[in-house]
Amino acid sequence: MDFNRRTAMAAGLGAMAAVGGGTSAARATPPMTVTVQGESAVRTNIPVVRDRRAAGGRYLRLRTAGKPPARTGWYATYSVRAPRPGVYGLTAVATAPVETPHTEAVASYLHLSVNDGPFTEIARSQPHWYASRPAWGALSRLDLGTVELGDGTNTLTFRVTDPAVLDVTTAYVLALDHFTLRHLAGHPALRELSVPRHREGEPARLRLALDGHASRAHRVRYVVRDHHGQRVAAGHAAVATGDVSATVTLPALPPGHYRVEADGVTGRFARLPARPALTGPAARFGVNLWASSLVPPSRLADFASALRDMGAGWVRDGQSWPAVEPVPGAHDTGHHDRRTRTLRAHGLAVLDVLSPAPEWAMTDASLPLPADLRHAYRYARRLAAAAPEALQLSNEPDVDTTRSTGDAHAAFVKAAALGIKDAAHEPCLVVLPGIAQTGPFQDLMLANDIVRYADVWAFHGYPDPTEPGEPGFPGAADEQHELARRHKADVLLWMTECGAFQKTRPGADLTPAQELEQARYVVRSMVEGLAAGNDRQFWFAGPPLHDDGVYFGLLDRDFRPLPAYSAFAALASLLGAARFTGPAPLLPDGVRGFVFDSGRGEQVTVVWADRPVRLDRCPAGTAHDIMGRRLPAGQPVTASRDPLYFTSAAPPAASPRTPAGPRARLSPAEHIVLAQRFPARNAAPGKQDGDAPPPHGYRLGRRTRMTVDVYNFDDTAHRVTVSARPVGGGWTVRCDQGQRETRIRVPAGGRAGVNFTILAESSVPRRIDRRLAFRAVADDHAEVPPSVALIHRG
């Protein structure tokens, strides 16, 4: 992209004069505050645009898919005369890198350099940006942290090097109206207390960091407390004159979660169990991620390492289909593929999730699915070619805001699954959509015989947020396993989302009580999920996440571990392979216990109770608390809301039967997909977040014309005979030719439509769903999986 260099230089010279001389481009009001207009850069390759809403009538605006210059990136350099040397708070009116309550617009993450020093990404978490106040348009008032300025003239350079994922593309995005520097009296001050992740038996090194160079020795007294707030260590440390940090070694501590406090600053750290957990695809535990929205690029590698160390072998991630394929056939998965490579390089298995289709692929009647299922086949095949460990074929379609129906989604699932299966000789696992709750939508999908296309049956489970007290494990697992048995589904069952709703205000942390509640529920939900028969459990979510008054995430707003992180690590370390063998015997009333085979010749019993109960007869073995700390032998043990572990030697239990990976290639008849297509005026009623009362089917009149699309995803042409099954109840279905069935030829990779007319007698009651089913037989007499929909007279 070319810009007028003379205009940029003129704007920059104006900024320098304004900061030093107090003209309108930048003012020191009050005296220790400096405001600089975004358009006043001394050097930039980002364009300036006019907008009367901007502070100076203009602002810096970048939005381009063009690659940034390799040496500089997209940048803007400003010259700032500081009223006095010292530490300044930096705020800006600019675009945030994540969605906020007042705008869905997002931008690239900013990198900042002060006085030609190294660039550092302003890598704050989603809850930090989420709490930003609105400014104007899509711009927010952002807190960008602190900077240290010298006496006289300083330079600040903002740079963008990573694209943002937008609605329909990826692009480099930044809008900057102005930024403000406010001198902070009493600084340099303690900014951060941190202890790098480490395991029991390794040294714990506490690093104290100031927000500027110490003008004299900065001495502090620190206190370390455990997850119950009990003091476990204390000491003194000092940052020497001229330095910005110092490191001291803490005394040996057991595994667990700790808080360290000094000078009003609080840090958190996890001391992990000495024995690492099982990682990679064999692991039983995972977390939800969505890295493009929740993890700044500079944090991704360390974040992936933190998940691995915690014992999350799997991550559930995804990418935007509209951004990947902004126009038909023009796929660009590079941005997502780089994230996936980073995750896998740190030993994590990846479950990718297909997002809703691009706008160009949809019609009003097909939303949120492509109107032509060949787009779904090609897109899924493209994703599978990157070889993630598993692909999930959408997220909670039963409670989205569209009028899509279970039969339409079933056809989409079949097409996408075929794309995955055809992508490689040994394709990745095909995971059915994550279903939010049992009901008519899922029932209709199952009636369309989708299980034969999948390797994994998936669902979600959350406790009822309206129930008083601590969250309880939902009945979703039992419901879904019963449904799978009824359909004789010979597949694994994964709970791809589980978690608890922790209510808090934007910008606020969880209370200590909420933190402990979350830690307990991490363990209890994972244990009860495996005991219910789930093969994998995915916690929602791993990264810090605040959404509409609810906080999720195993890390706090500064990416530091919460107690739930340490509880997860203890669970994964102690349970190992985590093969459930049965309930624990001989426990007192009110105590729940679950026995697991760790795969290491050990039996691990997990127990807890809603009220304290003394265990006069403890399960055999060594006892550990919720954080993995070994309890003294021979002392009384009390079961409470905090789970306990008892580990003892035991012969290995028989391994449960596990399907052997992805299924074989589907047959030619299974490569034929039927999809019912109705005009938009016949759309089904809305889902109302999954709670809509009946009817749920297409809304028809006395006479309705519709089409059955026949897709052939095989590599050879097929002749297919299509017919409607009797509906009954006063309904009649007939082909346009008036025959009971129609035989058509569908080319390889092609689609053909068969038109039908549906008649409703006057006696048909209104708003009562009936099943409308179509069957097909291939030229070799093989049965094609049916298409089953619901219809009612509107």
Side-chain angles (χ1 to χ4, degrees):
M1 183 179 296
D2 294 326
F3 302 112
N4 188 314
R5 187 173 181 178
R6 287 183 299 173
T7 301
M9 287 300 295
L13 292 171
M16 291 178 66
V19 174
T23 63
S24 61
R27 293 189 178 90
T29 52
M32 291 308 196
T33 299
V34 177
T35 296
V36 181
Q37 302 302 327
E39 66 272 19
S40 299
V42 295
R43 294 181 302 277
T44 186
N45 56 8
I46 300 175
V48 172
V49 298
R50 296 184 179 276
D51 194 309
R52 64 182 59 185
R53 295 174 297 178
R58 299 185 301 167
Y59 70 107
L60 213 63
R61 184 179 185 272
L62 171 71
R63 184 185 173 103
T64 178
K67 299 291 184 184
R71 188 175 61 85
T72 63
W74 300 116
Y75 79 99
T77 298
Y78 299 87
S79 182
V80 179
R81 184 175 296 278
R84 62 182 296 179
V87 178
Y88 287 75
L90 174 62
T91 59
V93 170
T95 38
V98 303
E99 292 183 9
T100 64
H102 56 273
T103 178
E104 296 181 356
V106 300
S108 301
Y109 279 89
L110 275 173
H111 294 245
L112 175 64
S113 169
V114 179
N115 292 326
D116 298 322
F119 279 94
T120 301
E121 184 179 70
I122 303 175
R124 297 198 154 182
S125 67
Q126 181 268 356
H128 172 85
W129 305 116
Y130 190 86
S132 302
R133 293 179 295 119
W136 57 268
L139 279 65
S140 305
R141 302 183 186 278
L142 305 180
D143 175 6
L144 302 182
T146 61
V147 296
E148 186 178 19
L149 302 181
D151 193 16
T153 301
N154 297 262
T155 60
L156 274 71
T157 301
F158 296 99
R159 184 179 74 173
V160 167
T161 59
D162 293 288
V165 179
L166 309 181
D167 288 339
V168 295
T169 188
T170 56
Y172 300 87
V173 180
L174 170 65
L176 175 60
D177 182 355
H178 63 269
F179 63 89
T180 300
L181 294 155
R182 180 174 59 85
H183 184 261
L184 301 177
H187 289 246
L190 188 63
R191 176 176 59 86
E192 182 182 25
L193 296 166
S194 60
V195 178
R197 273 188 323 279
H198 61 284
R199 296 194 176 276
E200 184 182 22
E202 299 173 352
R205 294 188 171 90
L206 170 63
R207 181 177 182 269
L208 304 90
L210 305 181
D211 54 15
H213 291 78
S215 56
R216 60 181 181 274
H218 189 103
R219 296 178 175 86
V220 300
R221 182 178 186 273
Y222 63 85
V223 175
V224 181
R225 303 181 188 276
D226 67 12
H227 65 287
H228 283 303
Q230 300 298 314
R231 194 173 93 167
V232 295
H236 292 84
V239 179
T241 303
D243 288 345
V244 295
S245 65
T247 301
V248 296
T249 301
L250 297 176
L253 297 168
H257 175 269
Y258 297 94
R259 299 166 68 99
V260 56
E261 301 164 347
D263 280 5
V265 176
T266 299
R268 305 170 183 268
F269 66 94
R271 187 164 170 86
L272 300 167
R275 182 163 57 183
L278 191 67
T279 58
R284 306 294 297 278
F285 309 112
V287 297
N288 282 263
L289 190 53
W290 202 254
S292 64
S293 297
L294 300 179
V295 184
S298 65
R299 290 189 183 270
L300 183 58
D302 183 69
F303 182 75
S305 179
L307 294 183
R308 178 203 60 208
D309 291 346
M310 183 187 71
W314 285 81
V315 291
R316 182 172 179 254
D317 200 27
Q319 60 187 308
S320 165
W321 182 357
V324 167
E325 193 179 8
V327 294
H331 298 96
D332 181 7
T333 60
H335 185 63
H336 179 73
D337 292 345
R338 287 190 291 274
R339 295 199 308 270
T340 299
R341 284 194 296 270
T342 299
L343 296 170
R344 298 180 74 180
H346 287 81
L348 301 172
V350 176
L351 167 61
D352 262 344
V353 184
L354 268 68
S355 80
E359 186 173 347
W360 57 258
M362 296 186 294
T363 64
D364 290 343
S366 74
L367 186 79
L369 306 172
D372 187 335
L373 296 182
R374 288 173 292 185
H375 294 307
Y377 174 90
R378 287 189 285 264
Y379 178 63
R381 185 166 184 164
R382 174 63 180 254
L383 296 187
E389 280 70 22
L391 270 170
Q392 188 166 26
L393 304 181
S394 75
N395 179 66
E396 297 189 351
D398 54 323
V399 294
D400 67 20
T401 59
T402 72
R403 296 186 178 187
S404 64
T405 53
D407 63 291
H409 213 85
F412 166 80
V413 165
K414 293 174 185 177
L418 287 166
I420 295 168
K421 297 291 186 183
D422 293 347
H425 180 68
E426 295 183 3
C428 65
L429 295 173
V430 173
V431 182
L432 291 177
I435 292 294
Q437 58 196 49
T438 56
F441 190 96
Q442 186 183 20
D443 290 340
L444 200 55
M445 288 184 65
L446 295 170
N448 279 267
D449 203 3
I450 59 169
V451 177
R452 70 165 73 194
Y453 290 85
D455 307 299
V456 176
W457 176 307
F459 61 97
H460 298 164
Y462 289 90
D464 185 347
T466 65
E467 289 187 355
E470 295 210 1
F473 190 67
D478 289 338
E479 293 171 355
Q480 292 290 334
H481 281 271
E482 172 57 32
L483 196 57
R485 284 190 291 271
R486 196 185 315 153
H487 283 266
K488 299 179 180 179
D490 185 24
V491 291
L492 301 171
L493 272 76
W494 291 6
M495 184 178 275
T496 52
E497 283 187 25
C498 68
F501 300 96
Q502 303 289 339
K503 294 183 179 179
T504 186
R505 301 186 314 275
D509 292 314
L510 297 177
T511 67
Q514 286 177 308
E515 291 179 359
L516 294 182
E517 181 180 284
Q518 183 195 44
R520 289 191 284 264
Y521 191 69
V522 162
V523 177
R524 294 171 66 157
S525 64
M526 294 288 181
V527 167
E528 292 196 63
L530 294 181
N534 298 340
D535 188 72
R536 297 287 187 277
Q537 288 279 125
F538 290 77
W539 179 261
F540 189 90
L545 172 60
H546 187 281
D547 182 29
D548 196 22
V550 177
Y551 189 89
F552 302 96
L554 300 174
L555 307 179
D556 72 6
R557 291 184 301 137
D558 294 312
F559 282 92
R560 302 171 303 186
L562 291 169
Y565 176 94
S566 296
F568 195 121
L571 169 81
S573 171
L574 290 166
L575 258 58
R579 303 183 189 117
F580 178 65
T581 60
L586 306 176
L587 291 176
D589 290 343
V591 179
R592 303 193 66 191
F594 304 83
V595 182
F596 291 86
D597 169 22
S598 72
R600 300 181 290 236
E602 297 169 333
Q603 175 178 284
V604 184
T605 303
V606 190
V607 302
W608 64 77
D610 290 335
R611 295 180 177 83
V613 178
R614 178 166 170 165
L615 299 178
D616 295 319
R617 184 175 179 178
C618 295
T622 304
H624 296 81
D625 71 5
I626 185 175
M627 297 296 171
R629 177 175 65 96
R630 185 169 179 170
L631 302 181
Q635 293 190 8
V637 176
T638 298
S640 69
R641 291 181 297 173
D642 287 359
L644 298 171
Y645 302 88
F646 297 88
T647 303
S648 60
S655 298
R657 183 195 61 78
T658 301
R663 298 183 175 191
R665 190 177 189 273
L666 293 162
S667 70
E670 290 168 322
H671 273 69
I672 298 170
V673 175
L674 306 181
Q676 300 185 38
R677 176 159 52 89
F678 287 84
R681 63 177 176 274
N682 299 122
K687 302 188 187 77
Q688 296 181 19
D689 200 27
D691 295 324
H696 301 109
Y698 298 104
R699 184 172 47 237
L700 309 187
R702 292 283 302 273
R703 178 187 178 92
T704 305
R705 290 176 56 83
M706 54 83 67
T707 301
V708 176
D709 288 328
V710 183
Y711 292 89
N712 176 17
F713 294 109
D714 200 13
D715 51 12
T716 60
H718 288 283
R719 292 191 178 276
V720 181
T721 302
V722 182
S723 61
R725 292 175 180 169
V727 177
W731 292 92
T732 303
V733 184
R734 67 188 183 197
C735 298
D736 275 2
Q737 296 84 356
Q739 301 171 341
R740 293 182 56 245
E741 59 185 33
T742 298
R743 190 165 184 249
I744 60 172
R745 181 183 183 277
V746 190
R751 176 183 69 173
V754 181
N755 296 322
F756 287 87
T757 299
I758 304 172
L759 302 174
E761 295 178 1
S762 58
S763 60
V764 172
R766 296 180 182 274
R767 301 181 58 79
I768 302 297
D769 282 326
R770 302 282 295 194
R771 284 198 171 188
L772 172 65
F774 291 91
R775 64 185 294 269
V777 179
D779 39 15
D780 61 355
H781 305 292
E783 284 278 348
V784 172
S787 172
V788 183
L790 293 177
I791 57 173
H792 68 272
R793 186 181 170 195

